[in-house]
Amino acid sequence: IDCQRLVQWGWLDAQSTSERKLWLAQAYAGFSRTATVADRADLETFVQQQSHWLHDYALYLALHRETSGRPWWLWSEALRDREPGALAQARQRLAPQIEQVCFEQFVFFRQWLDLRRHAAHNGVLLFGDMPIFVAHDSADVWTHRRYFCLDSDGQPRVVAGVPPDYFSETGQRWGNPLYDWAEMQADGFRWWRERMRTQLMLFDIVRIDHFRGFEAFWEIPAHEPTAVGGRWVAAPGDALFSELRAEFGPLPLVAEDLGLITQEVHALRQKYSLPGMRVLQFAFEGGADNSYLPHHYDRHTVVYTGTHDNDTTVSWYESVSARAQSYVRDYLGRPTDSMPWPLIRAALASVANLAMLPMQDVLALGAGHRMNMPGTSNGNWRWRFGWEQLTTDAVALLHHLVILYGRAAQ
């Protein structure tokens, strides 16, 4: 949330404290005193339109704060199990906090949708990223326990993850509660339809993480410390995407189809015309039949030099053997440019309909600038850049390559 916009709207004094929690509270107080009739109507409309999630989310967050951050399964049994009387009392007791949360969400959505309109006016699309699973301690799970594989105390019986792969010898035990797909399908995947509606309001394109899990997911017994002891279980992805397409028409989705992908997963993606992903950092192992090599691409593809789960291209290249480096450069035509530009050029020159370049690669950054290390929970998602890092030479070269390979906006 941009506090300067709140000042412009007349809800926040320009001299207000810089501490976010305080200025958001001050902004709501200012809104309550000075908002126009139109602004008040906008807030009321937003709360009504988003009522399918907002009321429960606001109550969940207020209770979370009241209990000093304790997860919902450690609340009183009445609140944990959402007994109507306990919920009514909590809504009355925490009404100011609930109103504050609703106001903050209203402000966020108003500012985001302004950003989306501004981007659209300038020919820029917003590309979102939707995880397949949600956190155990979340409003989603607390509100919709029947949609998740939980015991009577609200604890997961099985959890999500993936088997051993490129990133980890013991797999990844994510720990998210798994869906009770039969329960979700019984009401026409209502939860998923509401979730997708919100995503499509926020973004022009949405990448669905772990698309593989819609065909079959890796089920890990909750007591297992790693993902090794899991098993594949079929999921009703075909029925789900059929419902989503019936409601929203052609789906502007990108399927994250990395990892162990079967023919059934490819068939599901292709049935709903969803482009898959190809990561160039994965392309140079196993020889000429590696599907991540550009000569295997079709147009209905999104190519990445690396994703948020990869190291930067410079650091990746420096970490592989001299023999592997020689193979990379040989495949790319023995370029004279230093990394990451040969890989960037390969992505832009490919037939893939969309090419994605991490900012770390555009800035030619090396070790220490990775966004995320899969399978770890600390030290991730903290990377930021400053505009002073973006040199005129890098801008000029990127602009040249975009024009050269026909990727400029028309």
Side-chain angles (χ1 to χ4, degrees):
I1 294 176
D2 177 13
C3 69
Q4 293 306 314
R5 297 293 300 281
L6 299 176
V7 173
Q8 293 169 11
W9 294 341
W11 306 341
L12 185 66
D13 187 270
Q15 305 303 316
S16 295
T17 177
S18 60
E19 188 175 344
R20 178 179 297 181
K21 289 183 179 179
L22 295 180
W23 57 250
L24 283 172
Q26 292 167 357
Y28 184 44
F31 176 91
S32 300
R33 292 192 308 269
T34 67
T36 64
V37 172
D39 285 335
R40 294 177 192 275
D42 285 348
L43 173 58
E44 183 177 349
T45 298
F46 170 78
V47 172
Q48 291 175 346
Q49 290 179 341
Q50 304 301 320
S51 62
H52 61 277
W53 66 270
L54 182 58
H55 293 310
D56 285 310
Y57 173 75
L59 176 59
Y60 163 83
L61 204 58
L63 286 167
H64 215 257
R65 291 170 178 169
E66 184 183 50
T67 59
S68 301
R70 298 178 75 191
W72 61 264
W73 57 88
L74 294 181
W75 297 348
S76 69
E77 187 173 322
L79 286 172
R80 182 197 72 184
D81 296 338
R82 296 180 56 83
E83 294 180 4
L87 294 182
Q89 290 176 8
R91 292 186 193 281
Q92 183 177 18
R93 181 177 72 253
L94 299 172
Q97 295 92 322
I98 291 171
E99 291 174 2
Q100 177 71 37
V101 173
C102 290
F103 171 75
E104 292 171 4
Q105 292 296 311
F106 163 68
V107 169
F108 170 79
F109 273 76
R110 174 185 266 198
Q111 292 193 2
W112 183 275
L113 294 176
D114 282 349
L115 171 65
R116 184 174 179 185
R117 283 188 289 269
H118 176 72
H121 179 73
N122 288 278
V124 175
L125 303 180
L126 300 186
F127 193 167
D129 192 355
M130 183 172 69
I132 182 175
F133 299 117
V134 297
H136 183 200
D137 187 16
S138 65
D140 291 279
V141 180
W142 176 58
T143 305
H144 303 290
R145 279 174 64 175
R146 70 185 186 280
Y147 291 150
F148 298 87
C149 297
L150 307 176
D151 64 21
S152 59
D153 294 324
Q155 295 301 302
R157 293 183 282 104
V158 287
V159 296
V162 289
D165 60 8
Y166 173 90
F167 293 109
S168 174
E169 292 182 356
T170 59
Q172 298 175 41
R173 185 191 184 281
W174 299 330
N176 307 77
L178 288 169
Y179 298 119
D180 185 332
W181 282 110
E183 190 72 24
M184 286 189 151
Q185 190 169 3
D187 71 353
F189 301 103
R190 177 180 177 181
W191 183 86
W192 275 100
R193 286 186 282 112
E194 291 173 343
R195 190 182 192 199
M196 186 60 66
R197 182 176 296 107
T198 302
Q199 295 296 308
L200 296 180
M201 180 174 68
L202 298 175
F203 303 110
D204 299 285
I205 310 169
V206 178
R207 169 190 179 271
I208 296 187
D209 191 42
H210 194 55
F211 179 80
R212 192 265 172 275
F214 291 103
E215 192 279 326
F217 54 90
W218 191 248
E219 179 186 272
I220 308 166
H223 65 271
E224 291 283 349
T226 73
V228 174
R231 61 169 188 149
W232 289 112
V233 179
D238 189 16
L240 169 64
F241 286 104
S242 177
E243 287 279 356
L244 294 178
R245 187 169 62 181
E247 178 145 347
F248 301 108
L251 299 170
L253 306 178
V254 171
E256 186 274 289
D257 57 348
L258 308 177
L260 181 60
I261 304 301
T262 65
Q263 287 302 315
E264 290 80 5
V265 178
H266 288 305
L268 178 64
R269 178 180 64 79
Q270 292 164 359
K271 180 175 180 178
Y272 294 95
S273 300
L274 308 182
M277 291 174 53
R278 294 295 178 267
V279 179
L280 284 171
Q281 288 186 26
F282 296 160
F284 302 99
E285 298 179 357
D289 61 349
N290 186 317
S291 64
Y292 292 103
L293 288 169
H295 66 263
H296 290 297
Y297 298 174
D298 59 40
R299 185 159 180 77
H300 205 48
T301 299
V302 181
V303 59
Y304 294 70
T305 52
T307 74
H308 55 271
D309 286 336
N310 294 95
D311 204 347
T312 70
T313 291
V314 170
S315 183
W316 160 79
Y317 182 73
E318 291 174 346
S319 71
V320 301
S321 67
R323 182 177 181 180
Q325 289 182 359
S326 178
Y327 175 47
V328 172
R329 302 196 76 83
D330 191 24
Y331 182 87
L332 297 177
R334 296 289 172 186
T336 56
D337 291 340
S338 59
M339 284 293 174
W341 289 102
L343 222 62
I344 289 175
R345 183 184 289 268
L348 295 173
S350 75
V351 299
N353 190 50
L354 186 62
M356 299 296 296
L357 310 175
M359 196 64 173
Q360 293 96 321
D361 286 356
V362 174
L363 299 177
L365 298 176
H369 293 277
R370 185 171 187 155
M371 182 70 76
N372 180 56
M373 175 67 77
T376 65
S377 57
N378 297 314
N380 297 316
W381 303 105
R382 296 179 179 275
W383 184 82
R384 302 181 74 173
F385 78 96
W387 286 109
E388 69 279 0
Q389 294 175 269
L390 193 60
T391 67
T392 55
D393 286 346
V395 172
L397 180 53
L398 183 59
H399 181 262
H400 169 70
L401 294 177
V402 166
I403 297 295
L404 180 65
Y405 295 115
R407 294 185 179 273
Q410 299 301 316

